[in-house]
Amino acid sequence: MKTIGVLTSGGDAPGMNAAVRAVVRTAVSLGMSVKGIRRGYNGLIEGDIIDLDLRSVSDIIHRGGTVLYTARSPKFKTEEGVSEAIENCKKYGIEGIVVIGGDGSFRGARDLSLRGIPCVGIPGTIDNDISSTDYTIGFDTAMNTAMEMVDKIRDTAQSHDRCSVVEVMGRRAGYIALQSGIAVGATAILVPEIETKIEDVITKIKETQKTGKQHFIIVVAEGVGGVEDIAKQIEEATGIESRATILGHVQRGGRPTVRDRVMATQMGYAAVELLKDGIGNKVICYKNGKITNLDIYEALNMKKEFDYEMYNVAHTTSI
Ligand code: ADP
Ligand code: F6P
């Protein structure tokens, strides 16, 4: 391949820039040119496409967000949208594309691959909810942000002998909640994968209260939601003053951690290594400590097992 494109799609994640940088640097070192497609698949449909060289990706490895911008593109899900995207690939000489995003973005990458534009997906989402990989770019940074924020909330909860109920991101998945919940010593962690009765949370608070505990952190995944209501129920049942906080988009921004920068760099490199040989319809994965790849179709049909063992560890150590 002489020219490849790179785009970021779906929700942004810290470390996407490091992945873009790695794609550009690896491709250039292999003698290829790179086009930056802006605002996800919309950029491909509308021809919002720029040249990227070695220096266009200088000074971005440490920055959150994505310099290529991102978007959700309903039009790309239509026959007309894909056809226009293919036309622009031909017009700009784009022979293959690295797609950085989540499962939805990979479905788009599969459509393009089937239509003759080989694509390689890189998992980028803070939620770590992509089945084919143990790790997605942005997860570590988001968890660290959640942890720092809850540490601050804990200071005030402790001063007032209160219970703080904190919602962290994860529309469909509880991975951020689980690990950040362990890291902040939450009394209970509520995730969409495991049904939890509020009565059980209240019982646990009462039991730990008997052993002298006076302030409490409850971490709730966005997919469970209802933090205001949970705080109200806890206050009514225990008499402990309770407050609800939704952390929200603060978790999607900020400087990527070492893990996200390194993982993004390795994945960007691996994606271009495939495309250089004309291999597409693949996603890069991190499995058993190694960077590897899978067919997109196979990757999209995998199911991710929630880490029940880690959940049990959290439950046991939070008494
Ligand atoms: P993520 O990639 O983070 O899962 P989305 O699900 O919002 O985010 O998908 C991002 C974009 O990928 C969508 O806006 C759309 O352009 C494209 N996409 C999503 N699902 C499909 C699909 N089934 N077929 C083709 N393209 C899709
Ligand atoms: O990136 C994933 C995610 O953070 C989800 O946890 C969250 O529900 C969603 O994105 C929100 O995205 P947006 O506000 O961009 O629609």
Side-chain angles (χ1 to χ4, degrees):
M1 282 191 194
K2 287 197 186 68
T3 303
I4 63 166
V6 56
L7 62 82
T8 50
S9 168
D12 65 346
M16 281 185 164
N17 282 328
V20 171
R21 171 183 174 274
V23 166
V24 172
R25 296 269 170 92
T26 307
V28 171
S29 78
L30 292 167
M32 293 189 269
S33 305
V34 187
K35 305 277 185 194
I37 301 154
R38 303 206 296 181
R39 298 183 175 84
Y41 292 116
N42 277 345
L44 206 52
I45 293 169
E46 288 158 17
D48 188 1
I49 295 168
I50 54 171
D51 291 322
L52 295 175
D53 62 22
L54 291 177
R55 298 282 70 83
S56 350
V57 290
S58 292
D59 211 26
I60 65 167
I61 196 167
H62 62 296
R63 287 169 56 192
T66 161
V67 292
L68 289 179
Y69 301 87
T70 186
R72 300 198 167 92
S73 172
K75 188 171 180 189
F76 187 73
K77 287 188 180 177
T78 66
E79 179 54 35
E80 188 196 355
V82 183
S83 298
E84 285 175 28
I86 302 270
E87 277 311 305
N88 273 325
C89 287
K90 286 182 191 145
K91 184 170 160 194
Y92 287 87
I94 296 170
E95 295 162 289
I97 302 177
V98 178
V99 172
I100 306 166
D103 275 343
S105 304
F106 295 166
R107 288 197 170 86
R110 179 202 54 198
D111 290 351
L112 283 175
S113 298
L114 294 177
R115 300 275 295 263
I117 306 291
C119 292
V120 178
I122 293 180
T125 161
I126 63 163
D127 291 348
N128 201 27
D129 62 346
I130 299 180
S131 311
S132 53
T133 183
D134 295 340
Y135 191 80
T136 63
I137 296 167
F139 181 50
D140 191 55
T141 307
M143 283 190 303
N144 275 287
T145 302
M147 181 186 73
E148 276 173 42
M149 297 298 119
V150 179
D151 282 351
K152 289 176 202 280
I153 291 170
R154 174 196 280 271
D155 287 346
T156 164
Q158 186 264 331
S159 307
H160 288 262
D161 291 328
R162 277 179 179 159
C163 173
S164 265
V165 183
V166 186
E167 181 190 293
V168 299
M169 270 190 165
R171 188 156 36 196
R172 291 178 305 252
Y175 301 104
I176 297 177
L178 177 59
Q179 294 205 28
S180 63
I182 291 177
V184 301
T187 299
I189 301 170
L190 279 64
V191 294
E193 293 86 350
I194 298 172
E195 205 186 324
T196 311
K197 291 196 189 81
I198 187 66
E199 293 76 29
D200 293 341
V201 174
I202 289 165
T203 304
K204 194 163 184 204
I205 290 175
K206 284 181 175 167
E207 276 167 12
T208 55
Q209 204 180 19
K210 280 187 211 146
T211 65
K213 196 167 169 62
Q214 286 169 309
H215 63 278
F216 306 86
I217 303 286
I218 310 298
V219 171
V220 181
E222 182 187 353
V224 174
V227 282
E228 288 286 352
D229 191 46
I230 294 171
K232 201 164 154 252
Q233 289 191 54
I234 290 172
E235 184 164 315
E236 278 170 11
T238 64
I240 301 163
E241 223 186 341
S242 300
R243 294 284 186 272
T245 308
I246 297 175
L247 291 186
H249 286 84
V250 69
Q251 297 159 95
R252 280 244 296 258
R255 294 157 58 90
T257 59
V258 171
R259 183 157 202 222
D260 280 324
R261 296 182 201 192
V262 173
M263 193 69 79
T265 302
Q266 288 178 290
M267 288 184 168
Y269 174 89
V272 177
E273 280 286 310
L274 287 174
L275 279 187
K276 93 167 190 264
D277 296 327
I279 301 170
N281 205 22
K282 295 272 188 187
V283 289
I284 303 298
C285 322
Y286 180 73
K287 276 275 165 200
N288 306 318
K290 292 232 172 324
I291 304 284
T292 174
N293 63 77
L294 279 173
D295 280 348
I296 296 185
Y297 184 77
E298 196 184 335
L300 287 174
N301 282 302
M302 291 173 85
K303 227 180 132 25
K304 197 164 187 157
E305 262 293 295
F306 190 70
D307 196 338
Y308 294 98
E309 208 176 312
M310 194 185 282
Y311 180 82
N312 278 337
V313 170
H315 194 68
T316 308
T317 56
S318 62
I319 50 173

